[in-house]
Amino acid sequence: MQWNGRGRGASVYTNCAFPPRAGTAARRTVKLADFDYELPPGRIAQEPLVQRDRARLLVHRVAADETQHRAVRELVDLLDPGDLLVVNDTRVLASRLFARRASGGRIELFLVEPAAAPERAWQALVHPARRLRPDERLELEGGFAWVRMHERPRRDDGSLAMEWIVTLEDAAGATLDPRAVFERAGHVPLPPYVERPDRPEDAQRYQTVYAVQPGAVAAPTAGLHFTPELLAALETRGVRRAAVTLHVGPGTFQPVKVERVEEHRMHAERFVLPQATVDAVRATRAAGKRVVAVGTTVVRVLESCAGSDGELSARAGTTDLFLWPGARFRVVDALLTNFHLPRSTLLMLVCAFAGRERVLRLYREAIELGYRFYSYGDAMLLL
């Protein structure tokens, strides 16, 4: 099969960490309400399936406007020899911790990313945070380590940031490696719409089978559907695989608060695009085959690193690329993705790929047919 599906839109909007691309055209105002839909609470998956690749898969061929209802395990029949599956190999950190103040009050901390200073410090979301004081020490569950509260940085406008700067210490006050503490006392940071405490099985199930680069605080959920057996079957089929790394940050769950979508500013996330993946994409395109992104995080890495001619450059850094309807995809030909929250930047990216009205129509169909939504839910393949 020869594929020439690139270039669905007319322009790209980005507030990314490297210079904007030339040729960006003005677009009409897009309203936040354009990305709303009604989802019955019962459609939000609270549990993962026992068998990952048994999840349902809504398959939609964009050019033909045709839809099929399949299962993720049938990707072997849906992808062609020579297609390239690009995955995000980030690994989720068990960075949710519980501690107590000297007064006995229980505190929840969510360590989201390393801070510049002091040594081994992290930025942390803390609840409740109102009465905490700089230099206060909290005792972690198990009593083997302590959290030292340093400060809440100020934003550019002078207001206090949401996060505290914290370090983890032993009884004598020596700084500990946070990742060693996560291994011993950390909890899986399940999304806020999973309304139950994490359980031991979440440590494995809220992680892709190819996760190797620690650093994320949320899973790249489209990849949760793959099993070693499915990956082996795809390889036998002739579907190649390459990886990028994007460490998903807490901003993925933060709501868009502006009514004019173009005024939204994305959270920046750390990424790596290896040269081997650049080479694999070039070979795939030269052969006329498809680049299939597994999840919106992969899309953001590949499209952030593409020039105006679609050529990729290997790099590492941060991206705050924001794709919404009207964007032109220079690299990605097909997208495997979960079903996303209303009014979210993830939903906007999917709408940019296949059209807002079409995607919302497919969401309505999925709701009617009982598909499971969000991180532990079913999936959609846009071809």
Side-chain angles (χ1 to χ4, degrees), residues 277-297:
T277 299
V278 171
D279 295 341
V281 169
R282 286 174 180 164
T284 300
R285 299 179 73 175
K289 298 297 182 177
R290 295 176 294 193
V291 175
V292 183
V294 178
T296 59
T297 59

Side-chain angles (χ1 to χ4, degrees), residues 62-137:
V62 176
D65 197 16
E66 295 177 352
T67 302
Q68 295 177 294
H69 300 282
R70 309 283 290 268
V72 171
R73 66 181 181 272
E74 296 177 83
L75 279 171
V76 175
D77 303 319
L78 297 164
L79 301 181
D80 298 327
D83 286 346
L84 179 67
L85 204 65
V86 185
V87 302
N88 181 3
D89 65 4
T90 188
R91 187 168 186 83
V92 180
L93 299 170
S95 60
R96 188 165 165 247
L97 302 171
F98 292 93
R100 289 196 181 276
R101 304 183 72 191
S103 62
R106 193 168 189 253
I107 303 293
E108 178 180 352
L109 302 103
F110 184 16
L111 277 63
V112 294
E113 62 181 349
E119 185 180 3
R120 290 180 168 178
W122 278 59
Q123 296 179 31
L125 298 172
V126 184
H127 179 78
R130 186 175 61 177
R131 297 183 179 178
L132 293 172
R133 303 182 306 276
D135 211 37
E136 183 173 355
R137 290 221 313 170

Side-chain angles (χ1 to χ4, degrees), residues 119-157:
E119 185 180 3
R120 290 180 168 178
W122 278 59
Q123 296 179 31
L125 298 172
V126 184
H127 179 78
R130 186 175 61 177
R131 297 183 179 178
L132 293 172
R133 303 182 306 276
D135 211 37
E136 183 173 355
R137 290 221 313 170
L138 315 175
E139 184 178 2
L140 278 185
E141 284 182 328
F144 72 97
W146 281 257
V147 182
R148 184 176 296 277
M149 313 301 295
H150 287 276
E151 63 174 342
R152 287 177 64 189
R154 291 193 177 273
R155 302 185 180 97
D156 292 340
D157 63 4

Side-chain angles (χ1 to χ4, degrees), residues 110 189-193 206 217-219 248-255 267 341 375:
F110 184 16
L190 292 177
Y193 44 74
Y206 193 62
V217 297
V248 187
T252 191
F253 301 119
Q254 292 176 1
H267 54 284
L341 287 162
S375 293

